[in-house]
Amino acid sequence: MGKCNVCLHQLKTVIPFGKMPISNRFVTDPDANEYVYHLSLGWCPKCLMAQLESCVDPAMMFNDSYAYFSSTSSAMEDHFREMAKEISEFVSDRIDPFIVELGCNDGIMLKHIAALGLSHLGIEPSANVAAIARDRGVKVLGEFFGAESALEIQKIHGQADLICGANVMCHMEDINSVFEGVNVLLKPDGVFFFQDPYLLDILKKTSFDQIYDEHVYYFSGLAVSQLAGRHGFELVGMVPKEVHGGSMRYYLKKGVNHQDPEDVTFHLSQEKAFNLHDFEGYVSFRENVDRICVNLKQTLMEIKDGGNRIAAYGATSKSTTLLIYSRIGPELIDYVSDTTPTKIGKYTPGTHIPVKSHSHFLRDNPPYTLLLAWNHEREILEKERTYRKGGGKFITFFPKVAVI
Ligand code: TYD
Ligand code: ZN
């Protein structure tokens, strides 16, 4: 059992997943030894933060071979265009506003801010994605963000009007240092918002594949409001977002007693109704996870026993947890189709299923396809209309296993 990263209280173990490889480290040589660590979800009964019980060294995950590129889906492009619009409206009445994005990845959002000529800085330690952002006209600092780097940034650029982060706060193990950094870097009347996969969505859908090395935290409003309070911030808004299978955007301001946040009150009551403040809620989550794993493997085995081949769609990081914990490997799945050039020709971490191109998938036309990138279901089903009309079936698994 680990200790809470936020308040140091003893964690309660929710699901010990066992040994896992790094979820985004696609394998070039399937015979070479892979780095493994123990993946276990824990929950802090004191500050209510769900989190990994032990973390992987960030330099192992976020480096010059980081396989995650934000700009691989049109839905994500739309989402981040919209985010940039909201930010530019927020700063429109400010003089020479300064915008900071933590984890800007390939510049999917900041490229719009840069195009508007607004002062900005993206903080991105993964050198390969940062280089793409720079090519798109985005100013990037290639570092991990925390109290120290925030001070350096503030000395050079001054304080920010707005600091934001999408799918990055949950990556940052030393979250207290991140908050200290935001405190230093944000103007007194500035806004800090971040969004990450939402714990309530994970529990409702049983989408346990969100639990992997990069995701140290599984935020809820209940936990974020406490964390914010520790650092002199108040949670002033919560807005659900569809991306990444169900995310929540949290808006924070410095100080206390801002206007009555109705949406926060609403979401906190929803979280309590689902027992997010009580270990019982997590016990039933684990039961649901185990049931889905058994059902999914059973379904795949029946299809295979019936003489049909199965491919998979989307070499996502999250599928590492799903495949390994459900014990699904190359004996059931022939290959995973993916559009990311750096993943094609490699093998999935731990399970060593070959990753092949989308054109290979179209030529091969497998009778069954496991939809690993379920968070892009709408976009993929639309794109693969012809495959489905021709009799191709997708297998989905959250909140229950289905063949569609
Ligand atoms: P992503 O949603 O980023 O999940 P994770 O954070 O778990 O890695 O990954 C989606 C993956 O699916 C990415 O490798 C690109 C791939 N993909 C396709 O191959 N085709 C598609 O149409 C879409 C939308 C994604
Ligand atoms: Zn805690």
Side-chain angles (χ1 to χ4, degrees):
M1 278 200 301
K3 288 225 161 73
C4 175
N5 277 316
V6 178
C7 76
L8 299 179
H9 195 275
Q10 196 70 42
L11 296 174
K12 279 175 164 280
T13 300
V14 180
I15 311 180
F17 287 99
K19 280 186 189 162
M20 289 281 165
I22 306 261
S23 60
N24 233 333
R25 184 168 284 186
F26 289 82
V27 172
T28 314
D29 174 7
D31 295 325
N33 273 344
E34 268 177 280
Y35 172 90
V36 289
Y37 71 100
H38 272 277
L39 176 68
S40 179
L41 178 68
W43 176 74
C44 177
K46 187 155 176 245
C47 76
L48 313 184
M49 187 68 84
Q51 58 197 277
L52 296 188
E53 294 212 66
S54 62
C55 301
V56 171
D57 177 359
M60 294 280 294
M61 301 180 283
F62 310 113
N63 47 41
D64 57 2
S65 55
Y66 188 46
Y68 181 79
F69 295 82
S70 295
S71 307
T72 47
S73 134
S74 65
M76 294 305 267
E77 288 283 2
D78 294 346
H79 177 81
F80 284 106
R81 189 180 309 108
E82 193 53 40
M83 185 193 281
K85 187 164 166 259
E86 182 183 323
I87 292 173
S88 62
E89 281 165 8
F90 172 78
V91 299
S92 62
D93 58 355
R94 296 187 173 222
I95 299 156
D96 194 16
F98 177 42
I99 296 151
V100 172
E101 187 185 14
L102 311 181
C104 67
N105 198 279
D106 57 12
I108 189 168
M109 194 287 284
L110 277 184
K111 67 182 177 189
H112 300 292
I113 298 293
L116 291 170
L118 293 165
S119 299
H120 67 275
L121 187 67
I123 322 286
E124 179 51 72
S126 304
N128 56 341
V129 289
I132 299 174
R134 286 193 188 98
D135 286 346
R136 291 173 171 163
V138 173
K139 283 199 193 111
V140 186
L141 178 69
E143 273 185 30
F144 287 98
F145 183 80
E148 265 179 44
S149 53
L151 202 57
E152 290 304 310
I153 299 164
Q154 186 255 330
K155 276 186 200 152
I156 298 166
H157 300 272
Q159 285 186 309
D161 295 80
L162 183 138
I163 301 179
C164 62
N167 310 307
V168 67
M169 286 295 282
C170 71
H171 290 178
M172 304 208 264
E173 182 182 352
D174 193 355
I175 198 150
N176 286 320
S177 169
V178 172
F179 265 84
E180 283 163 28
V182 171
N183 219 338
V184 167
L185 192 55
L186 190 67
K187 285 183 183 167
D189 64 347
V191 166
F192 171 41
F193 75 78
F194 63 93
Q195 65 185 51
D196 289 281
Y198 184 36
L199 182 63
L200 185 56
D201 277 310
I202 295 175
L203 264 63
K204 277 185 175 168
K205 294 175 187 155
T206 323
S207 46
F208 70 96
D209 59 354
Q210 294 285 4
I211 303 163
Y212 60 89
D213 52 321
E214 287 178 24
H215 293 168
V216 178
Y217 298 101
Y218 305 85
F219 295 123
S220 63
L222 289 166
V224 168
S225 60
Q226 283 207 39
L227 172 62
R230 289 174 78 90
H231 294 279
F233 284 85
E234 190 173 25
L235 177 60
V236 297
M238 284 174 75
V239 178
K241 299 285 168 189
E242 266 191 24
V243 291
H244 285 292
S247 296
M248 181 60 78
R249 184 179 293 173
Y250 305 91
Y251 291 85
L252 277 70
K253 283 187 179 167
K254 285 184 173 179
V256 287
N257 296 327
H258 294 284
Q259 77 275 27
D260 189 28
E262 259 180 50
D263 49 348
V264 174
T265 311
F266 169 75
H267 289 294
L268 297 192
S269 69
Q270 294 277 303
E271 292 178 6
K272 283 192 178 143
F274 221 81
N275 262 344
L276 257 61
H277 60 312
D278 183 341
F279 193 59
E280 280 309 305
Y282 301 89
V283 172
S284 29
F285 172 56
R286 181 174 178 174
E287 288 163 3
N288 294 339
V289 168
D290 289 345
R291 198 187 55 247
I292 287 189
C293 288
V294 170
N295 290 348
L296 179 59
K297 179 141 191 195
Q298 185 69 30
T299 304
L300 297 178
M301 280 167 42
E302 281 166 15
I303 291 171
K304 197 82 180 170
D305 289 347
N308 286 301
R309 288 182 310 111
I310 310 166
Y313 203 106
T316 58
S317 344
K318 60 176 95 60
S319 51
T320 303
T321 303
L322 176 94
L323 296 172
I324 293 178
Y325 194 57
S326 312
R327 299 177 193 284
I328 296 167
E331 70 293 342
L332 288 169
I333 308 291
D334 287 3
Y335 61 91
V336 188
S337 164
D338 200 282
T339 50
T340 316
T342 49
K343 296 182 186 176
I344 296 166
K346 294 186 181 160
Y347 299 83
T348 55
T351 44
H352 298 176
I353 304 169
V355 181
K356 300 207 169 171
S357 66
H358 182 241
S359 51
H360 175 89
F361 169 81
L362 291 179
R363 275 195 310 276
D364 182 47
N365 197 31
Y368 288 88
T369 303
L370 180 63
L371 186 53
L372 294 174
W374 59 269
N375 48 315
H376 300 287
E377 177 173 332
R378 196 180 310 147
E379 184 173 338
I380 292 170
L381 293 190
E382 175 68 24
K383 201 159 136 187
E384 303 304 343
R385 271 192 319 255
T386 315
Y387 168 69
R388 293 180 76 209
K389 276 198 188 132
K393 301 268 186 219
F394 278 105
I395 303 155
T396 57
F397 33 86
F398 296 141
K400 61 182 182 37
V401 179
V403 179
I404 55 172

